[in-house]
């Protein structure tokens, strides 16, 4: 019966209806079979094992099986009839009932189904069964008890135990098989899984593992798990992981691993240790999910949170974040920033007349143009609708200079946005109004700054649109002034308002050897202006190269005139060159043309460059200088000692002269540091075979000190201020006549004091 039941459970399952009915037939049938071959005590009084079978059927297979089996057994018992019929039926009822009670207690975990419990149950069942003999006609009771009492109590509990253990084993085995099947299905989940031995060698992997890592089973079985490691995690990371595994038998977290094709990917990994009965780790089971897609989704979500979907520009949230950051940086770096609010003029009309699609396209194009008009370190954001914000950072200089820089960028933005837009067959135009607020610290809250920029933008709209307005009226005034000045410089350059002044340069014996060309501006209203009033503005307005060119032209003309002048033919003239001029693409060609046209002797021309200017593009500077050097033009490093003064670049350049900066000269003779620096510059120049000239020499003590330190040439108020050419020519002539000691062989006291 047990063997058939095992087959039945495996085939139909213990809990399916068919399986249960089959089991009922089996148990009922066996009971009937038992009753067919009973120990017959008297006619109609039989002894068999149906109580054992039915009680165990109730315990292990439940009410349905036991009920049907009991009904079958009862039917047969009734059909048999005889004196024992009623007690026989009662015994069937008792067995099923008591078995079900036991089952209930077992399922509630009140009792177990071990050897002693089964024995005890068998004994109780048989004792109660014997009590049922009282249902027999009275003349049979004593007889029956006497005949079977002891054997029943000895044999039946043991039979109950044996049958119970066998049925329990059948159920357990099918349970185990089911567990295994579930485990196998779980192992083939969508998560990658691998099982290793205690020393991390891979024993099994699932399909998903192969799909995720790209390795086949054969390639990884027997390999160490380090095969997958990406090298992204530190040694310390793995140490911490193993430590936790050792302590808690499990670990989970994010790990970067490497696929077979070399691609590194993030995975969510959980590892569990499996221990044997001796509590030794025998396996590790790891399950992981590839989270690269999840991360990509997360990044996408982040993008949505911080960027405007239409233009891809930072949105308000990110802008506020950057603004906060810019304020903090401004405090640290002592540099200023500008916040600009832009609102497209009449954008609503475009939307209304040409539709939202055209409007969107225009916004996209405008965003592109704004981004293209600023440095990559600046921020262009879209607040929504047709409102944009541009934030410029790292603006250096005094407030007016900062305002001017912001103004220039704003003008560029106006031009960029104002250019026509080609959208499909349409050509659309749009202008913008810009409000600007400057900040150099975090004194003003972010929201307040935004409000100010917004207000200024409305002021720009009120001023007729396509305009820039600053929040601070003083800034507005300064910017206006500056713009006026730029315009005047532009006019001055067109009307030859910039004139050449020369400041004499002398040798150690007081002999005139040349002069520095310095610009002066003959301003129509303000009179003669010094470079302080215009050089920086000209530089920022992009006009300095034109100014340099004009000075260079005048200098060349002067050199050409002096070619036949007995006292002046050997003089050289130094001209200041700005970075913008030097790095012009056709700088060399223009200079060559200028020399040719003027007829100046290139050997008499010296160009003054500063260190910072050279370092902008050292290779470019070297190429240009070498080309000019070949013509005979000479080079001096202006303001030497204030820049980087690196020996490496000095050697690479075709230089002739170092010009010691005035700040060192001014500090003489008291300041020991300056003296040391000047001495070092003189030694350096001598070893590199360069001349040295000291500028800003104002006193006799300075002059003598410089002479003592090995300086060879001099320039400064002590010998003469910058002066018009005619004045220098007059002094030269006077020198020849012995009136002025500037041309005398040994100068000791200042004599040229004109300007
Ligand atoms: P820099 O090239 O360092 O010119 C020397 C400046 O020092 C000149 O000022 C000169 O007048 C002044 N100086 C000369 N000797 C003395 C002295 O003994 N004491 C004092 N206190 N100052 C002295 P300036 O003419 O005002 O020129 C200022 C700067 O403007 C120049 O500095 C130069 O960087 C720039 N600059 C002048 N003309 C031009 C030009 O044509 N092109 C360019 N790119 N820059 C120019
Ligand atoms: Ca100079
Ligand atoms: Ca200088």
């Amino acid at each position: 019966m047990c063997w058939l039941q095992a087959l039945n459970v495996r085939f139909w399952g213990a809990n399916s209806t068919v399986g249960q009915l089959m089991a009922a037939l089996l148990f009922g049938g066996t009971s009937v079979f038992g009753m067919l071959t009973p120990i017959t005590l008297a006619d109609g009084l039989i002894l068999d094992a149906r109580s054992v079978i039915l009680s165990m059927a109730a315990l292990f297979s439940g009410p349905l099986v036991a009920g049907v089996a009991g009904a079958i057994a009862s039917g047969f018992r009734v059909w048999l009839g005889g004196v024992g019929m009623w007690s026989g039926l009662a015994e069937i009822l008792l067995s099923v009932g008591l078995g079900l009670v036991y089952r209930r207690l077992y399922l509630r975990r009140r009792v177990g189904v071990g050897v002693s419990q089964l024995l005890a149950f068998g004994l109780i069942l048989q004792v109660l069964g014997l009590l049922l003999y009282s249902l027999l006609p009275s003349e049979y009771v004593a007889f029956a008890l006497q005949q079977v009492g002891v054997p029943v109590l000895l044999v039946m509990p043991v039979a109950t135990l044996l049958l119970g253990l066998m049925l329990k084993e059948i159920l357990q085995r099918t349970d185990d098989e089911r567990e295994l099947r579930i485990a196998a299905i779980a192992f083939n989940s969508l998560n990658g899984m691998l099982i290793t031995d205690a020393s991390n060698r891979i024993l099994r992997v699932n399909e998903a593992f192969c799909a995720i890592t790209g390795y086949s089973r054969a390639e990884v079985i027997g390999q160490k798990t380090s095969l997958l490691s990406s090298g992204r995690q530190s040694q310390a990371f793995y140490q911490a992981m193993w430590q936790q595994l050792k302590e808690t038998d499990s670990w989970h977290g994010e790990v970067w691993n490497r696929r077979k094709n070399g691609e590194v990917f993030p995975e969510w990994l959980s590892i569990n240790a499996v221990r044997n009965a001796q509590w030794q780790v025998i396996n590790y089971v790891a399950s992981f999910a590839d989270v690269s897609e999840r991360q990509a989704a997360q990044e996408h979500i982040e993008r949505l949170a911080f960027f405007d979907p239409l233009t891809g520009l930072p949105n308000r949230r990110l802008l506020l974040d950057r603004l906060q950051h810019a304020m903090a940086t401004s405090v640290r770096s002592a540099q200023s920033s500008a916040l600009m609010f832009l609102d497209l003029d009449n954008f609503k009309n475009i939307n209304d007349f040409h539709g939202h699609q055209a409007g969107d396209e225009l916004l996209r194009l405008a965003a592109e143009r704004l981004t293209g008009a600023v440095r990559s370190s600046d921020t262009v954001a879209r607040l929504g609708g047709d409102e944009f914000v541009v934030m410029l950072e790292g603006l250096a200089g005094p407030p007016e200079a900062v305002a001017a820089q912001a103004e220039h960028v704003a003008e560029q933005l106006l031009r960029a946005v104002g250019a026509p837009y080609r959208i499909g067959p349409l050509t659309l135009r749009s202008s913008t109004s810009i409000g600007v607020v400057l900040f150099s610290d975090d004194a003003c809250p972010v929201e307040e700054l935004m409000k100010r920029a917004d207000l200024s933008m409305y002021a720009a709209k009120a001023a007729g649109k396509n305009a820039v307005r600053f929040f601070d009226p003083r800034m507005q005034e300064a910017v206006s002034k500056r713009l006026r000045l730029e315009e005047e410089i532009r006019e001055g350059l067109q009307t030859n308002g910039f004139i050449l002044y020369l400041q004499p340069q002398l040798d150690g014996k007081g002999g005139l050897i040349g002069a520095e060309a310095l610009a002066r501006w003959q301003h129509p209203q303000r009179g003669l202006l010094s470079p302080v009033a215009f050089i920086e503005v000209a530089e920022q307005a992009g006009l300095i190269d034109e100014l340099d060119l004009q000075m260079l032209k005048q200098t060349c003309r002067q050199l050409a005139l002096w070619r036949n002048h007995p006292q002046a033919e050997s003089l050289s003239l130094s001209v200041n060159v700005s970075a913008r001029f030097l790095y012009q693409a056709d700088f060399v060609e223009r200079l060559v043309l200028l020399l040719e046209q003027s007829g100046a002797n290139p050997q008499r021309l010296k160009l003054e460059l500063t260190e910072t200017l050279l370092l902008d593009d050292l290779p470019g500077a070297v190429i240009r200088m070498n080309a000019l050097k070949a013509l005979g033009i000479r080079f001096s490093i202006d303001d030497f000692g204030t820049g980087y003064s690196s020996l490496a670049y000095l050697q690479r350049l075709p230089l002739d002269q170092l010009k010691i900066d005035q700040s060192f000269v001014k500090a003489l003779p008291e300041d020991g540091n300056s003296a040391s620096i000047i001495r070092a510059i003189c030694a350096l120049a001598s070893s590199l075979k360069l001349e040295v000239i000291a500028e800003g020499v104002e006193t006799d003590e300075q002059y003598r000190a410089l002479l003592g330190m090995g300086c060879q040439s001099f320039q400064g108020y002590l010998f003469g201020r910058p002066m018009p050419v005619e004045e220098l020519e007059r002094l030269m002539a006077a020198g020849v006549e012995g009136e002025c000691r500037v041309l005398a062989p040994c100068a000791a006291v200042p004599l040229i004091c004109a300007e």
Side-chain angles (χ1 to χ4, degrees):
M1 181 197 71
C2 284
W3 182 71
L4 285 175
Q5 169 64 354
L7 270 183
N8 172 43
V9 167
R10 176 169 297 183
F11 200 75
W12 296 108
N15 296 321
S16 74
T17 315
V18 181
Q20 294 221 330
L21 288 176
M22 296 295 281
L25 283 176
L26 200 57
F27 290 122
T30 312
S31 300
V32 169
F33 184 73
M35 283 183 270
L36 287 172
T37 53
I39 298 168
T40 308
L41 301 177
D43 195 21
L45 181 56
I46 54 173
L47 175 66
D48 58 66
R50 88 191 83 119
S51 65
V52 173
I53 294 167
L54 292 174
S55 65
M56 287 301 102
L59 172 59
F60 288 104
S61 299
L64 177 65
V65 175
V68 175
I72 292 170
S74 302
F76 187 71
R77 185 64 192 86
V78 171
W79 181 73
L80 275 182
V83 287
M85 187 187 82
W86 288 114
S87 70
L89 281 177
E91 192 184 3
I92 290 171
L93 210 59
L94 172 73
S95 305
V96 171
L98 209 59
L100 289 175
V101 171
Y102 190 2
R103 178 183 176 85
R104 204 178 170 87
L105 292 173
Y106 168 67
L107 291 178
R108 291 187 173 177
R109 305 204 182 282
R110 298 270 171 77
V111 287
V113 284
V115 174
S116 52
Q117 291 103 326
L118 284 170
L119 264 181
F121 173 78
L123 200 61
I124 294 167
L125 177 64
Q126 296 311 322
V127 169
L128 293 175
L130 290 179
L131 288 180
L132 291 178
Y133 280 18
S134 57
L135 293 175
L136 290 172
S138 51
E139 62 268 32
Y140 288 99
V141 176
F143 167 74
L145 282 177
Q146 196 182 2
Q147 284 287 308
V148 297
V150 176
V152 160
L153 290 181
L154 281 179
V155 175
M156 292 303 179
V158 176
T160 309
L161 168 68
L162 290 177
L163 181 60
L165 288 179
M166 276 190 259
L167 290 177
K168 180 178 158 190
E169 167 71 18
I170 289 168
L171 280 183
Q172 192 118 50
R173 205 180 308 149
T174 51
D175 268 0
D176 286 353
E177 274 170 18
R178 197 180 47 199
E179 289 288 313
L180 272 179
R181 227 170 296 136
I182 291 170
I185 288 167
F187 190 70
N188 267 328
S189 74
L190 284 176
N191 277 2
M193 297 198 67
L194 77 161
I195 299 176
T196 72
D197 61 14
S199 63
N200 266 331
R201 264 183 211 291
I202 300 174
L203 300 176
R204 273 184 78 178
V205 297
N206 68 352
E207 284 295 329
F209 173 96
C210 298
I212 293 172
T213 64
Y215 285 106
S216 70
R217 279 205 174 84
E219 284 169 323
V220 289
I221 304 282
Q223 299 283 346
K224 286 258 187 185
T225 49
S226 53
L227 175 78
L228 302 167
S229 82
S230 65
R232 275 218 190 167
Q233 272 89 20
S234 64
Q235 208 60 31
F237 174 87
Y238 287 111
Q239 266 166 11
M241 175 175 123
W242 283 110
Q243 186 62 32
Q244 191 184 330
L245 258 177
K246 224 193 260 168
E247 282 165 11
T248 64
D249 278 358
S250 80
W251 182 90
H252 51 84
E254 200 175 287
V255 173
W256 288 83
N257 269 348
R258 188 183 296 279
R259 300 188 220 272
K260 188 183 173 188
N261 65 10
E263 187 190 338
V264 170
F265 70 101
E267 63 179 37
W268 182 258
L269 173 66
S270 63
I271 307 176
N272 289 291
V274 181
R275 293 183 184 270
N276 63 11
Q278 287 73 46
W279 207 241
Q280 292 161 321
V281 172
I282 46 168
N283 295 110
Y284 292 105
V285 178
S287 141
F288 61 90
D290 182 347
V291 292
S292 38
E293 271 173 29
R294 198 194 310 164
Q295 281 201 346
Q298 214 158 355
E299 276 164 24
H300 183 66
I301 289 167
E302 255 161 51
R303 262 202 88 70
L304 287 182
F306 290 109
F307 292 87
D308 165 44
L310 177 69
T311 59
L313 293 178
N315 62 12
R316 183 187 200 93
R317 201 164 142 196
L318 184 54
L319 171 75
L320 291 180
D321 204 57
R322 294 209 182 152
L323 188 53
Q324 199 79 57
H325 187 257
M327 288 174 141
T329 316
S330 287
V331 175
R332 251 181 289 125
S333 66
Q335 287 185 324
S336 305
S337 306
L339 184 71
M340 303 183 180
F341 256 56
L342 288 82
D343 189 290
L344 301 189
D345 302 322
N346 305 327
F347 177 72
K348 196 175 166 298
N349 289 348
I350 292 178
N351 252 349
D352 290 349
F353 293 142
H354 303 288
H356 284 268
Q357 220 169 346
D360 281 357
E361 186 57 24
L362 190 131
L363 288 174
R364 251 195 301 269
L365 290 172
E368 255 170 43
R369 293 181 186 182
L370 291 175
T371 312
V374 298
R375 300 167 301 175
S376 57
S377 54
D378 297 328
T379 298
V380 179
R382 179 170 175 238
L383 295 187
D386 58 347
E387 284 186 341
F388 294 90
V389 167
V390 172
M391 185 173 66
L392 312 176
E393 288 180 73
L395 305 176
E400 302 79 51
V402 168
Q405 292 172 57
E407 164 76 26
H408 280 295
V409 175
E411 293 287 342
Q412 275 169 29
L413 296 176
L414 283 187
R415 274 194 297 277
V417 174
Y421 297 83
R422 290 205 60 88
I423 297 170
L426 302 170
T427 301
L428 303 178
R429 283 186 174 276
S430 177
S431 59
T432 181
S433 301
I434 306 181
V436 187
V437 57
L438 305 176
F439 60 94
S440 54
D441 52 32
D442 53 2
C444 182
V446 167
E447 288 301 338
E448 177 60 25
L449 265 186
M450 298 275 282
K451 213 161 73 194
R452 290 181 181 182
D454 199 22
L455 279 174
S456 321
M457 188 271 293
Y458 278 106
K461 283 229 192 270
K465 300 181 177 168
N466 196 26
V468 183
R469 280 292 172 277
F470 281 72
F471 175 75
D472 186 342
R474 281 165 309 168
M475 267 322 135
Q476 188 63 48
E477 173 59 26
V479 164
S480 307
K481 231 167 105 180
R482 187 131 178 159
L483 288 178
R484 232 180 359 257
L485 184 61
E486 278 179 30
E487 207 37 55
E488 287 171 355
I489 293 175
R490 216 168 269 131
E491 271 170 37
L493 286 169
Q494 270 161 20
T495 55
N496 297 325
F498 291 89
I499 50 178
L500 181 68
Y501 263 48
L502 295 174
Q503 184 176 30
Q505 296 178 334
L506 292 85
D507 64 16
K509 299 192 187 91
L512 186 69
I513 50 172
E516 176 174 3
L518 293 160
R520 293 294 180 266
W521 183 14
Q522 191 65 59
H523 191 279
Q525 286 88 38
R526 292 157 67 196
L528 193 70
L529 296 181
S530 99
V532 183
F534 58 85
I535 289 289
E536 197 211 313
V537 179
E539 257 167 11
Q540 272 168 13
L543 300 169
I544 192 74
D545 44 346
E546 178 57 26
L547 176 70
D548 281 353
L549 182 69
Q550 294 200 1
M551 286 301 113
L552 201 61
K553 264 188 191 157
Q554 294 186 37
T555 305
C556 284
R557 200 177 308 134
Q558 198 53 53
L559 282 173
L561 285 173
W562 279 351
R563 263 199 132 140
N564 303 315
H565 192 297
Q567 284 130 22
E569 92 190 307
S570 62
L571 297 184
S572 66
L573 291 182
S574 300
V575 182
N576 294 290
V577 172
S578 67
R580 203 182 149 95
F581 190 38
L582 175 73
Y583 292 118
Q584 269 184 358
D586 55 352
F587 173 72
V588 174
E589 289 78 21
R590 290 179 85 171
L591 207 56
V592 169
L593 193 70
L594 223 113
L595 286 166
E596 278 173 12
Q597 284 174 346
S598 65
N601 180 0
Q603 314 229 350
R604 298 279 167 261
L605 181 64
K606 197 182 279 172
L607 301 184
E608 288 193 9
L609 311 168
T610 60
E611 288 169 278
T612 36
L613 166 164
L614 288 169
L615 292 176
D616 279 352
D617 171 16
L618 194 57
V622 171
I623 293 171
R624 288 165 164 74
M625 287 169 76
N626 278 328
L628 296 175
K629 184 87 189 165
L631 300 174
I633 293 177
R634 287 176 298 154
F635 293 96
S636 177
I637 300 281
D638 204 356
D639 307 337
F640 192 76
T642 58
Y644 301 97
S645 306
S646 120
L647 289 177
Y649 93 79
L650 279 183
Q651 269 183 325
R652 286 181 60 186
L653 297 168
L655 291 176
D656 300 277
Q657 188 182 60
L658 302 181
K659 194 167 193 181
I660 301 170
D661 189 64
Q662 348 192 337
S663 58
F664 303 118
V665 174
K666 271 212 182 78
L668 289 179
E670 295 84 15
D671 184 42
N673 275 344
S674 292
S676 309
I677 292 172
I678 293 173
R679 231 177 262 119
I681 295 176
C682 290
L684 179 69
S686 130
S687 69
L688 290 173
K689 306 218 165 19
L690 301 175
E691 302 159 15
V692 248
I693 182 165
E695 70 176 333
V697 186
E698 290 185 352
T699 68
D700 202 37
E701 291 80 56
Q702 290 170 347
Y703 172 57
R704 283 174 201 286
L706 286 162
L707 263 180
M709 286 177 224
C711 188
Q712 308 141 344
S713 326
F714 308 89
Q715 178 184 341
Y717 292 173
L718 179 62
F719 311 104
R721 293 182 176 242
M723 59 188 83
V725 179
E726 307 76 51
E727 177 119 11
L728 186 72
E729 285 175 339
R730 197 183 59 74
L731 281 170
M732 280 191 286
V736 170
E737 286 155 23
E739 278 176 21
C740 183
R741 292 204 23 217
V742 74
L743 299 176
C746 182
V749 283
L751 281 177
I752 299 178
C753 310
E755 184 171 23

